[in-house]
Amino acid sequence: MNVRFLGHAAFELSDGEATVLIDPFLTGNPKAAAAADELAADAILLSHGHGDHFGDTVSIAKRTGADVVAIVEIANELAGAGLQKVHDPNLGGTVELDWGSVKLVPAWHTSTTPNGTVNTPAGLVVRFGGKTIYHTGDTALFSDLALVGQRDPIDLALVCIGGHYTMDRHDAVQAAKLIGASQLIPCHYDTFPPIETDAQAFKADVEAATATQVVVLAPGETHSL
Ligand code: NI
Ligand code: MN
């Protein structure tokens, strides 16, 4: 399967049969690697409702007919916006779809959608192409990150490192220890001035402290696993 970094916290998972988008913030994203109207999607998965994650969900879902999975308060807003295939789990819940599954797990953050719907943020544990991928969403460092990989080892973690709105690259090293993923792609940095950081220094620190391999992707680059 392939993981394409679309910029900020947005990723595309694809295996030649299905395409899954996570947090597709493209319009207004200075690091966007694609335009919203050129992306395919069988499903869109949202970690939380902030505009830099909610992004182009409505337009992509309307054009593609994609399933959308988001925590219940966001899901209700999306259904009200006219989307037909909306799934509304809460924390701990798993949604099974043709290509795999997604489970919502806790993240320490706040969240309101661009339309004002207050919601609880989440991380996403995705089963896709025989792999387990954990997108932390926006979060601070917290000890329960260690629980996520205890049920199924994490093949790939997608981890925020930019600071200011989330944990910074130093706390993210501690998060990497707790998550224990085989591989890790950092995200949510360098999009805007407050979240500029040194991803190569993060990679060096994680690889010195853990067995996790860090893959730094520029927006638009693809990693295969
Ligand atoms: Ni956020
Ligand atoms: Mn964010």
Side-chain angles (χ1 to χ4, degrees):
M1 63 160 293
N2 292 319
V3 179
R4 179 161 65 130
F5 182 37
L6 297 174
H8 196 54
F11 290 89
E12 176 195 75
L13 313 180
S14 60
D15 65 356
E17 293 183 5
T19 302
V20 174
L21 302 179
I22 301 174
D23 288 355
F25 165 53
L26 302 151
T27 302
N29 174 356
K31 301 287 187 179
D37 63 6
E38 66 190 26
L39 292 172
D42 295 287
I44 300 169
L45 316 179
L46 293 184
S47 66
H48 67 294
H50 279 152
D52 60 318
H53 300 258
F54 187 95
D56 298 287
T57 295
V58 173
S59 68
I60 296 171
K62 283 187 172 170
R63 176 176 55 79
T64 61
D67 291 281
V68 181
V69 181
I71 202 162
V72 57
E73 289 79 10
I74 302 176
N76 289 342
E77 179 187 314
L78 293 169
L83 299 188
Q84 302 292 320
K85 294 160 66 180
V86 178
H87 307 266
D88 65 349
N90 209 314
L91 295 175
T94 300
V95 173
E96 307 269 357
L97 293 166
D98 289 344
W99 47 265
S101 66
V102 55
K103 178 172 70 173
L104 269 54
V105 296
W108 268 105
H109 191 61
T110 67
S111 186
T112 305
T113 69
N115 302 309
T117 304
V118 175
N119 60 90
T120 299
L124 305 168
V125 180
V126 183
R127 286 288 300 170
F128 183 91
K131 302 291 185 183
T132 300
I133 298 135
Y134 172 31
H135 190 303
T136 63
D138 284 359
T139 190
L141 176 63
F142 65 114
S143 59
D144 284 356
L145 290 166
L147 296 177
V148 177
Q150 289 185 2
R151 180 168 157 194
D152 294 305
I154 307 300
D155 295 302
L156 176 66
L158 310 172
V159 176
C160 54
I161 69 164
H164 194 80
Y165 303 114
T166 70
M167 60 186 170
D168 64 15
R169 71 175 175 88
H170 303 288
D171 278 354
V173 174
Q174 304 308 314
K177 289 182 189 174
L178 296 172
I179 294 167
S182 299
Q183 296 185 315
L184 185 158
I185 298 173
C187 66
H188 212 277
Y189 67 95
D190 285 358
T191 318
F192 310 108
I195 62 172
E196 287 175 359
T197 197
D198 185 341
Q200 292 298 336
F202 170 75
K203 172 181 168 69
D205 290 346
V206 171
E207 292 183 347
T210 74
T212 300
Q213 177 197 2
V214 175
V215 179
V216 176
L217 295 182
E221 289 186 332
T222 296
H223 176 63
S224 298
L225 74 163

XYZ file of all heavy atoms in Angstrom, residues 104-210:
799
model
N -11.821 5.129 16.446
C -11.508 6.410 17.066
C -10.913 6.183 18.456
O -11.475 5.424 19.253
C -12.775 7.270 17.188
C -13.090 8.209 16.015
C -13.143 7.456 14.703
C -14.371 8.980 16.266
N -9.789 6.826 18.710
C -9.132 6.724 20.023
C -8.907 8.136 20.560
O -8.951 9.110 19.811
C -7.791 5.959 19.916
C -8.039 4.513 19.482
C -6.825 6.652 18.980
N -8.662 8.263 21.866
C -8.534 9.610 22.431
C -7.344 10.404 21.895
O -6.320 9.848 21.490
C -8.356 9.339 23.936
C -9.027 8.028 24.154
C -8.721 7.231 22.918
N -7.522 11.728 21.915
C -6.450 12.682 21.633
C -6.701 13.869 22.569
O -7.862 14.225 22.810
C -6.476 13.123 20.173
N -5.651 14.474 23.088
C -5.823 15.626 23.989
C -5.669 16.920 23.209
O -4.575 17.319 22.830
C -4.808 15.559 25.140
C -5.361 14.858 26.325
C -5.067 13.604 26.751
C -6.307 15.390 27.254
N -5.784 13.308 27.888
C -6.550 14.378 28.223
C -6.992 16.613 27.378
C -7.434 14.561 29.291
C -7.875 16.790 28.432
C -8.080 15.777 29.379
N -6.811 17.584 22.988
C -6.852 18.753 22.115
C -8.224 19.386 22.348
O -8.965 18.956 23.242
C -6.673 18.242 20.667
C -6.439 19.280 19.620
N -5.369 20.135 19.628
C -7.134 19.567 18.480
C -5.426 20.898 18.544
N -6.487 20.588 17.839
N -8.593 20.386 21.581
C -9.959 20.916 21.607
C -10.471 20.868 20.176
O -9.689 20.615 19.247
C -9.998 22.386 22.076
O -9.350 23.191 21.089
C -9.322 22.559 23.422
N -11.758 21.125 19.957
C -12.215 21.156 18.570
C -13.604 21.757 18.412
O -14.523 21.454 19.174
C -12.241 19.752 17.971
O -12.550 19.833 16.595
N -13.710 22.590 17.407
C -14.979 23.129 16.923
C -14.881 23.138 15.403
O -13.828 23.472 14.863
C -15.186 24.571 17.426
O -15.088 24.582 18.845
C -16.542 25.117 17.020
N -15.938 22.756 14.705
C -15.872 22.804 13.240
C -15.937 24.252 12.748
O -16.334 25.152 13.503
C -17.033 22.038 12.584
O -18.249 22.760 12.838
C -17.151 20.617 13.114
N -15.595 24.488 11.483
C -15.716 25.849 10.939
C -17.141 26.402 11.048
O -17.340 27.622 11.033
C -15.292 25.679 9.476
C -14.364 24.503 9.502
C -14.961 23.563 10.522
N -18.128 25.509 11.152
C -19.515 25.948 11.278
C -19.968 26.081 12.729
O -21.137 26.389 12.982
C -20.427 24.971 10.541
C -20.050 24.858 9.079
O -19.914 25.863 8.392
N -19.827 23.646 8.610
N -19.062 25.806 13.668
C -19.371 26.046 15.069
C -19.799 24.834 15.872
O -20.146 24.969 17.047
N -19.771 23.648 15.283
C -20.145 22.444 16.016
C -19.001 22.027 16.936
O -17.905 21.719 16.467
C -20.438 21.281 15.042
O -21.444 21.691 14.115
C -20.898 20.040 15.793
N -19.277 22.012 18.229
C -18.253 21.592 19.185
C -18.152 20.072 19.169
O -19.169 19.374 19.129
C -18.600 22.101 20.597
C -17.601 21.578 21.624
C -18.637 23.622 20.608
N -16.932 19.553 19.173
C -16.743 18.103 19.122
C -15.472 17.720 19.847
O -14.588 18.539 20.048
C -16.704 17.619 17.664
C -15.576 18.259 16.879
O -14.467 17.747 16.822
N -15.842 19.440 16.291
N -15.411 16.454 20.236
C -14.232 15.919 20.912
C -13.243 15.416 19.865
O -13.628 14.677 18.964
C -14.639 14.769 21.843
O -15.539 15.291 22.820
C -13.439 14.161 22.542
N -11.990 15.810 19.966
C -10.992 15.342 19.001
C -10.647 13.874 19.204
O -10.813 13.334 20.297
C -9.766 16.211 19.283
C -10.241 17.280 20.203
C -11.422 16.747 20.929
N -10.118 13.263 18.161
C -9.772 11.842 18.203
C -8.477 11.592 17.444
O -8.027 12.418 16.648
C -10.894 11.012 17.589
N -7.905 10.428 17.709
C -6.926 9.822 16.824
C -7.627 8.738 16.027
O -8.743 8.319 16.364
N -6.994 8.270 14.967
C -7.607 7.293 14.062
C -6.687 6.081 13.929
O -5.518 6.230 13.566
C -7.808 7.917 12.683
C -8.615 9.219 12.638
C -8.487 9.871 11.265
C -10.067 8.955 12.972
N -7.237 4.899 14.231
C -6.485 3.651 14.005
C -7.114 2.974 12.796
O -8.262 2.519 12.852
C -6.518 2.738 15.234
C -5.719 1.460 14.953
C -5.956 3.458 16.453
N -6.369 2.943 11.711
C -6.901 2.509 10.421
C -6.297 1.160 10.060
O -5.065 0.991 10.094
C -6.552 3.541 9.323
C -7.160 3.129 7.987
C -7.032 4.929 9.735
N -7.154 0.215 9.713
C -6.697 -1.052 9.119
C -6.905 -0.949 7.618
O -8.043 -0.767 7.148
C -7.497 -2.233 9.682
C -7.135 -2.605 11.105
C -5.781 -3.282 11.232
N -5.674 -4.530 10.478
C -4.536 -5.195 10.283
N -3.401 -4.732 10.762
N -4.541 -6.324 9.588
N -5.828 -1.042 6.862
C -5.912 -0.840 5.414
C -4.779 -1.624 4.774
O -3.627 -1.525 5.216
C -5.795 0.654 5.083
C -5.939 0.985 3.618
C -7.192 1.285 3.081
C -4.838 0.993 2.777
C -7.327 1.583 1.733
C -4.978 1.289 1.430
C -6.217 1.588 0.905
N -5.077 -2.382 3.743
C -4.037 -3.102 3.017
C -3.228 -4.033 3.905
O -2.033 -4.241 3.670
N -3.873 -4.602 4.923
C -3.177 -5.515 5.821
C -2.280 -4.836 6.838
O -1.561 -5.506 7.578
N -2.309 -3.504 6.884
C -1.463 -2.750 7.805
C -2.312 -1.997 8.823
O -3.486 -1.685 8.563
C -0.611 -1.732 7.038
C 0.280 -2.335 5.959
C 1.405 -3.174 6.533
C 2.343 -3.640 5.417
N 3.415 -4.528 5.949
N -1.696 -1.686 9.962
C -2.331 -0.848 10.979
C -1.624 0.500 11.002
O -0.410 0.563 11.229
C -2.260 -1.509 12.363
O -2.934 -2.770 12.306
C -2.919 -0.630 13.424
N -2.394 1.540 10.741
C -1.872 2.902 10.646
C -2.552 3.743 11.716
O -3.791 3.747 11.819
C -2.142 3.477 9.245
C -1.417 2.617 8.202
C -1.700 4.926 9.139
C -2.244 2.292 7.009
N -1.778 4.448 12.504
C -2.317 5.271 13.592
C -2.003 6.729 13.310
O -0.847 7.144 13.369
C -1.709 4.812 14.922
C -2.011 5.666 16.127
C -3.204 6.368 16.260
C -1.094 5.749 17.172
C -3.468 7.140 17.379
C -1.346 6.515 18.296
C -2.529 7.214 18.393
O -2.777 7.977 19.510
N -3.043 7.504 12.992
C -2.930 8.962 12.849
C -3.305 9.545 14.203
O -4.440 9.378 14.651
C -3.885 9.442 11.753
C -3.698 10.871 11.335
N -3.765 11.923 12.217
C -3.441 11.435 10.119
C -3.564 13.063 11.557
N -3.363 12.786 10.287
N -2.361 10.233 14.848
C -2.633 10.706 16.217
C -3.656 11.833 16.259
O -4.137 12.166 17.335
C -1.349 11.222 16.898
O -0.855 12.352 16.161
C -0.295 10.137 17.001
N -3.999 12.429 15.102
C -4.756 13.672 15.142
C -3.888 14.747 15.775
O -2.668 14.631 15.848
N -4.536 15.818 16.223
C -3.824 16.849 16.976
C -3.868 16.441 18.435
O -4.950 16.209 18.995
C -4.530 18.210 16.822
C -4.277 18.853 15.477
O -3.546 18.281 14.650
O -4.847 19.951 15.257
N -2.712 16.349 19.062
C -2.718 15.986 20.480
C -1.486 16.512 21.175
O -0.450 16.763 20.549
C -2.817 14.448 20.665
O -3.048 14.164 22.053
C -1.575 13.730 20.193
N -1.632 16.677 22.481
C -0.492 16.825 23.372
C 0.032 15.435 23.707
O -0.610 14.423 23.418
C -0.933 17.550 24.645
N 1.199 15.405 24.322
C 1.746 14.150 24.845
C 0.883 13.678 26.007
O 0.559 14.463 26.893
C 3.176 14.398 25.322
C 3.900 13.223 25.990
C 4.075 12.052 25.030
C 5.241 13.696 26.542
N 0.475 12.420 25.987
C -0.234 11.848 27.146
C 0.058 10.352 27.200
O 0.345 9.724 26.177
C -1.740 12.152 27.105
C -2.515 11.522 25.970
C -3.484 10.557 26.230
C -2.302 11.897 24.653
C -4.226 9.989 25.208
C -3.033 11.319 23.621
C -3.994 10.370 23.895
N -0.037 9.809 28.407
C 0.500 8.460 28.615
C -0.307 7.384 27.910
O 0.225 6.322 27.575
C 0.602 8.149 30.108
O -0.661 8.251 30.728
N -1.599 7.637 27.674
C -2.420 6.603 27.046
C -2.109 6.380 25.568
O -2.646 5.441 24.962
C -3.911 6.908 27.221
C -4.389 6.606 28.638
O -3.579 6.090 29.451
O -5.554 6.872 28.930
N -1.217 7.182 24.995
C -0.722 6.850 23.647
C -0.145 5.434 23.630
O -0.156 4.767 22.591
C 0.364 7.845 23.228
C -0.100 9.280 22.941
C 1.097 10.223 22.880
C -0.899 9.346 21.644
N 0.333 4.982 24.792
C 0.930 3.644 24.872
C -0.102 2.532 24.726
O 0.260 1.387 24.433
C 1.670 3.489 26.199
N -1.373 2.835 24.949
C -2.411 1.799 24.880
C -2.745 1.418 23.441
O -3.192 0.300 23.175
C -3.699 2.291 25.557
C -3.609 2.570 27.057
C -4.946 3.123 27.555
C -3.219 1.319 27.819
N -2.578 2.346 22.517
C -3.109 2.161 21.162
C -2.501 0.951 20.474
O -3.201 0.177 19.825
C -2.897 3.446 20.331
C -3.370 3.248 18.902
C -3.635 4.616 20.987
N -1.194 0.771 20.645
C -0.515 -0.321 19.960
C -0.530 -1.636 20.700
O 0.049 -2.616 20.227
N -1.189 -1.693 21.865
C -1.156 -2.932 22.652
C -2.042 -4.014 22.052
O -1.794 -5.196 22.246
C -1.545 -2.644 24.107
C -0.451 -1.881 24.832
C -0.736 -1.677 26.295
O -1.744 -2.131 26.830
N 0.148 -0.946 26.961
N -3.094 -3.616 21.353
C -3.984 -4.602 20.739
C -3.417 -5.080 19.410
O -3.304 -6.278 19.174
C -5.362 -3.968 20.543
C -6.348 -4.918 19.899
C -7.757 -4.348 20.010
N -8.622 -4.886 18.994
C -9.809 -4.374 18.686
N -10.245 -3.302 19.333
N -10.544 -4.929 17.754
N -3.069 -4.161 18.546
C -2.437 -4.494 17.267
C -1.196 -3.624 17.129
O -1.300 -2.405 17.208
C -3.379 -4.200 16.096
C -4.602 -5.094 16.106
O -4.424 -6.322 16.124
O -5.725 -4.557 16.111
N -0.044 -4.220 16.921
C 1.163 -3.409 16.727
C 0.964 -2.399 15.591
O 0.342 -2.713 14.569
C 2.236 -4.445 16.380
C 1.727 -5.726 16.944
C 0.227 -5.661 16.840
N 1.503 -1.214 15.781
C 1.331 -0.138 14.801
C 2.424 -0.257 13.741
O 3.610 -0.173 14.044
C 1.419 1.246 15.483
C 0.445 1.344 16.668
C 1.158 2.350 14.463
C -0.997 1.163 16.320
N 2.022 -0.460 12.500
C 2.995 -0.518 11.407
C 3.493 0.872 11.055
O 4.666 1.052 10.722
C 2.358 -1.167 10.173
C 2.003 -2.619 10.427
O 2.911 -3.408 10.762
O 0.808 -2.964 10.324
N 2.588 1.843 11.077
C 2.950 3.205 10.684
C 2.165 4.194 11.533
O 0.933 4.136 11.580
C 2.617 3.441 9.204
C 2.847 4.860 8.685
C 4.325 5.220 8.696
C 2.271 5.011 7.272
N 2.889 5.109 12.180
C 2.248 6.189 12.931
C 2.424 7.498 12.170
O 3.500 7.767 11.633
C 2.857 6.303 14.328
N 1.365 8.285 12.123
C 1.371 9.614 11.522
C 1.206 10.583 12.689
O 0.141 10.625 13.313
C 0.229 9.743 10.510
C 0.157 8.594 9.477
C -1.113 8.712 8.639
C 1.394 8.575 8.595
N 2.263 11.346 13.010
C 2.362 12.013 14.307
C 2.618 13.509 14.136
O 3.563 13.915 13.441
C 3.496 11.378 15.141
C 3.682 12.116 16.459
C 3.219 9.896 15.383
N 1.813 14.316 14.809
C 2.011 15.770 14.807
C 3.264 16.121 15.603
O 3.515 15.564 16.674
C 0.777 16.460 15.383
S 0.263 15.870 17.020
N 4.051 17.063 15.097
C 5.304 17.431 15.780
C 5.534 18.940 15.835
O 6.565 19.389 16.329
C 6.534 16.778 15.114
C 6.816 17.373 13.716
C 6.388 15.261 15.045
C 8.214 17.061 13.191
N 4.593 19.744 15.330
C 4.886 21.151 15.086
C 4.837 22.082 16.282
O 5.272 23.224 16.207
N 4.319 21.592 17.431
C 4.203 22.475 18.582
C 3.083 23.491 18.429
O 2.336 23.489 17.455
N 2.961 24.353 19.408
C 1.991 25.454 19.505
C 0.543 24.951 19.579
O -0.134 25.175 20.557
C 2.145 26.457 18.350
C 1.404 27.742 18.622
N 1.905 28.725 19.433
C 0.176 28.167 18.226
C 1.023 29.722 19.518
N -0.027 29.405 18.791
N 0.045 24.300 18.557
C -1.322 23.767 18.587
C -1.347 22.302 19.038
O -2.436 21.752 19.289
C -1.972 23.863 17.208
C -2.018 25.266 16.651
C -1.291 25.608 15.509
C -2.773 26.260 17.267
C -1.318 26.888 14.997
C -2.796 27.558 16.770
C -2.066 27.857 15.625
O -2.086 29.144 15.120
N -0.188 21.667 19.024
C -0.066 20.239 19.380
C 1.247 20.077 20.152
O 1.963 21.049 20.387
C 0.026 19.351 18.124
O 1.291 19.570 17.481
C -1.113 19.639 17.144
N 1.587 18.836 20.474
C 2.917 18.583 21.035
C 3.999 19.023 20.048
O 3.784 19.034 18.836
C 3.073 17.102 21.389
C 2.921 16.129 20.252
S 2.950 14.441 20.912
C 2.438 13.526 19.431
N 5.150 19.406 20.621
C 6.271 19.798 19.760
C 7.154 18.582 19.465
O 6.856 17.468 19.910
C 7.061 20.943 20.402
C 7.724 20.561 21.719
O 7.836 19.340 22.036
O 8.139 21.487 22.447
N 8.228 18.804 18.736
C 9.033 17.652 18.290
C 9.717 16.937 19.448
O 10.021 15.746 19.335
C 10.061 18.081 17.232
C 11.222 18.920 17.717
C 12.207 19.163 16.570
N 13.288 20.061 16.923
C 14.441 19.664 17.472
N 14.639 18.403 17.752
N 15.381 20.554 17.738
N 9.959 17.645 20.553
C 10.599 17.009 21.709
C 9.596 16.106 22.435
O 9.905 14.962 22.767
C 11.170 18.076 22.639
C 12.137 18.993 21.950
N 13.394 18.592 21.565
C 12.002 20.282 21.538
C 14.009 19.607 20.952
N 13.184 20.632 20.921
N 8.391 16.624 22.694
C 7.358 15.760 23.280
C 6.990 14.633 22.314
O 6.637 13.534 22.745
C 6.106 16.576 23.623
C 6.227 17.297 24.963
O 7.225 17.074 25.687
O 5.318 18.085 25.294
N 7.067 14.891 21.032
C 6.721 13.847 20.061
C 7.727 12.695 20.072
O 7.383 11.572 19.697
C 6.598 14.447 18.660
N 8.957 12.955 20.518
C 9.906 11.848 20.695
C 9.398 10.929 21.810
O 9.439 9.698 21.678
C 11.320 12.380 21.021
C 12.264 11.223 21.343
C 11.857 13.208 19.857
N 8.918 11.546 22.889
C 8.344 10.735 23.979
C 7.103 9.988 23.482
O 6.873 8.825 23.843
C 7.991 11.623 25.178
C 9.165 12.450 25.703
C 10.398 11.609 25.988
O 10.307 10.539 26.601
N 11.565 12.060 25.536
N 6.297 10.651 22.659
C 5.114 9.983 22.082
C 5.538 8.792 21.226
O 4.917 7.723 21.283
C 4.303 10.974 21.256
N 6.586 8.956 20.456
C 7.061 7.865 19.601
C 7.461 6.665 20.446
O 7.208 5.511 20.072
C 8.229 8.341 18.742
N 8.080 6.933 21.607
C 8.432 5.832 22.518
C 7.184 5.096 22.977
O 7.155 3.867 23.053
C 9.166 6.372 23.751
C 10.566 6.879 23.509
C 11.171 7.333 24.853
C 12.477 8.059 24.656
N 12.982 8.630 25.935
N 6.150 5.838 23.320
C 4.918 5.229 23.829
C 4.175 4.462 22.738
O 3.591 3.410 23.002
C 3.991 6.314 24.408
C 4.536 7.060 25.621
C 3.621 8.232 25.981
C 4.678 6.126 26.817
N 4.192 4.986 21.524
C 3.433 4.368 20.425
C 4.143 3.105 19.932
O 3.490 2.100 19.619
C 3.234 5.385 19.278
C 2.335 6.540 19.757
C 2.614 4.705 18.054
C 2.334 7.754 18.823
N 5.463 3.150 19.842
C 6.225 1.959 19.464
C 5.966 1.463 18.050
O 6.020 0.259 17.787
N 5.715 2.374 17.136
C 5.429 1.971 15.751
C 6.696 1.478 15.039
O 7.807 1.859 15.394
C 4.853 3.158 14.989
N 6.501 0.653 14.023
C 7.640 0.250 13.197
C 8.184 1.440 12.421
O 9.401 1.625 12.316
C 7.215 -0.846 12.211
O 6.767 -1.977 12.909
N 7.264 2.225 11.856
C 7.652 3.396 11.088
C 6.785 4.581 11.502
O 5.657 4.398 11.991
C 7.480 3.140 9.589
C 8.402 2.031 9.069
C 8.309 1.883 7.562
O 7.224 1.873 6.999
N 9.462 1.760 6.909
N 7.292 5.772 11.280
C 6.588 6.990 11.705
C 6.822 8.088 10.675
O 7.963 8.303 10.252
C 7.109 7.406 13.089
C 6.451 8.587 13.818
C 6.727 8.480 15.320
C 6.868 9.936 13.279
N 5.771 8.736 10.271
C 5.865 9.912 9.398
C 5.397 11.129 10.202
O 4.265 11.139 10.687
C 4.996 9.747 8.137
C 5.474 8.556 7.307
C 5.013 11.029 7.295
C 4.571 8.217 6.117
N 6.249 12.137 10.371
C 5.820 13.333 11.089
C 4.923 14.216 10.216
O 5.054 14.229 8.986
C 7.129 14.044 11.418
C 8.070 13.616 10.340
C 7.659 12.215 9.945
N 4.024 14.943 10.865
C 3.137 15.855 10.137
C 2.760 17.024 11.040
O 3.241 17.144 12.164
C 1.893 15.121 9.627
S 0.783 14.504 10.907
N 1.903 17.906 10.515
C 1.418 19.075 11.266
C 2.576 19.980 11.698
O 2.673 20.402 12.843
C 0.575 18.627 12.476
C -0.533 19.577 12.852
N -0.317 20.689 13.635
C -1.856 19.581 12.570
C -1.463 21.317 13.819
N -2.413 20.686 13.174
N 3.483 20.259 10.751
C 4.585 21.191 11.013
C 4.919 21.928 9.714
O 4.609 21.455 8.617
C 5.835 20.451 11.531
C 6.471 19.531 10.514
C 7.539 19.970 9.713
C 6.001 18.237 10.327
C 8.111 19.128 8.762
C 6.564 17.403 9.380
C 7.617 17.849 8.597
O 8.176 17.027 7.649
N 5.494 23.115 9.858
C 5.982 23.936 8.735
C 4.870 24.454 7.807
O 5.178 25.067 6.782
C 7.017 23.177 7.882
C 8.380 23.066 8.563
O 8.529 23.608 9.683
O 9.280 22.444 7.988
N 3.616 24.243 8.175
C 2.528 24.749 7.335
C 2.351 26.248 7.533
O 2.068 26.971 6.568
C 1.211 24.042 7.690
O 1.456 22.656 7.878
C 0.173 24.253 6.606
N 2.488 26.667 8.792
C 2.323 28.062 9.187
C 3.488 28.415 10.129
O 4.048 27.515 10.769
C 0.997 28.254 9.943
C -0.204 27.678 9.241
C -0.812 26.523 9.730
C -0.732 28.274 8.107
C -1.927 25.984 9.102
C -1.845 27.740 7.475
C -2.442 26.600 7.964
N 3.832 29.711 10.242
C 4.984 30.068 11.090
C 4.939 29.519 12.528
O 5.984 29.065 13.021
C 4.970 31.605 11.059
C 4.386 31.922 9.712
C 3.332 30.868 9.475
N 3.798 29.502 13.227
C 3.857 29.030 14.627
C 4.244 27.570 14.775
O 4.605 27.143 15.871
C 2.425 29.251 15.141
C 1.790 30.186 14.186
C 2.460 29.967 12.866
N 4.157 26.783 13.698
C 4.432 25.349 13.819
C 5.650 24.924 12.990
O 5.797 23.760 12.653
C 3.186 24.491 13.469
C 2.727 24.703 12.025
C 2.061 24.785 14.451
C 1.616 23.716 11.594
N 6.527 25.911 12.733
C 7.776 25.539 12.057
C 8.662 24.756 13.023
O 8.768 25.091 14.201
C 8.503 26.799 11.566
C 7.799 27.421 10.370
C 8.418 28.734 9.927
O 9.392 29.187 10.557
O 7.892 29.315 8.953
N 9.273 23.688 12.520
C 10.165 22.885 13.360
C 11.175 22.168 12.485
O 11.176 22.322 11.258
C 9.357 21.894 14.223
O 10.186 21.425 15.289
C 8.858 20.709 13.419
N 12.043 21.387 13.126
C 13.129 20.705 12.419
C 12.819 19.215 12.361
O 13.112 18.472 13.302
C 14.447 20.978 13.152
C 15.659 20.408 12.423
O 15.487 19.518 11.560
O 16.773 20.848 12.731
N 12.240 18.772 11.267
C 11.817 17.374 11.153
C 13.011 16.425 11.116
O 12.927 15.296 11.599
C 10.950 17.187 9.910
N 14.122 16.872 10.553
C 15.300 15.994 10.515
C 15.876 15.797 11.909
O 16.368 14.702 12.240
C 16.348 16.560 9.550
C 15.923 16.532 8.079
C 15.671 15.120 7.539
O 16.193 14.132 8.047
N 14.849 15.027 6.497
N 15.823 16.823 12.742
C 16.278 16.673 14.130
C 15.345 15.722 14.888
O 15.802 14.885 15.680
C 16.330 18.031 14.816
N 14.047 15.837 14.622
C 13.084 14.894 15.214
C 13.422 13.464 14.809
O 13.464 12.550 15.643
C 11.669 15.261 14.776
C 10.632 14.227 15.115
C 10.186 14.068 16.418
C 10.108 13.407 14.127
C 9.239 13.098 16.736
C 9.163 12.443 14.433
C 8.727 12.287 15.738
N 13.686 13.266 13.529
C 14.042 11.920 13.037
C 15.282 11.382 13.772
O 15.286 10.234 14.240
C 14.303 11.988 11.526
C 14.864 10.702 10.900
C 15.105 10.903 9.401
C 15.931 9.781 8.777
N 15.210 8.503 8.714
N 16.297 12.220 13.890
C 17.527 11.774 14.558
C 17.257 11.425 16.015
O 17.763 10.406 16.525
C 18.580 12.870 14.449
N 16.452 12.248 16.687
C 16.169 12.004 18.106
C 15.361 10.720 18.297
O 15.624 9.942 19.212
C 15.406 13.192 18.695
C 16.269 14.435 18.826
O 17.517 14.324 18.723
O 15.699 15.526 19.023
N 14.357 10.494 17.456
C 13.536 9.281 17.582
C 14.367 8.044 17.290
O 14.302 7.042 18.014
C 12.314 9.343 16.645
C 11.594 7.988 16.606
C 11.354 10.426 17.093
N 15.169 8.123 16.245
C 15.921 6.924 15.853
C 17.052 6.627 16.837
O 17.484 5.472 16.951
C 16.405 7.074 14.404
C 15.200 7.051 13.450
C 15.543 7.109 11.979
O 16.709 7.419 11.636
O 14.633 6.832 11.158
N 17.502 7.650 17.605
C 18.495 7.410 18.657
C 17.852 6.790 19.894
O 18.517 6.098 20.669
C 19.185 8.717 19.029
N 16.556 7.043 20.084
C 15.903 6.652 21.334
C 14.999 5.436 21.208
O 14.577 4.871 22.226
C 15.071 7.835 21.869
N 14.649 5.038 19.991
C 13.664 3.975 19.783
C 14.087 3.100 18.613
O 15.050 3.416 17.892
C 12.269 4.554 19.434
O 12.297 5.035 18.080
C 11.866 5.692 20.356
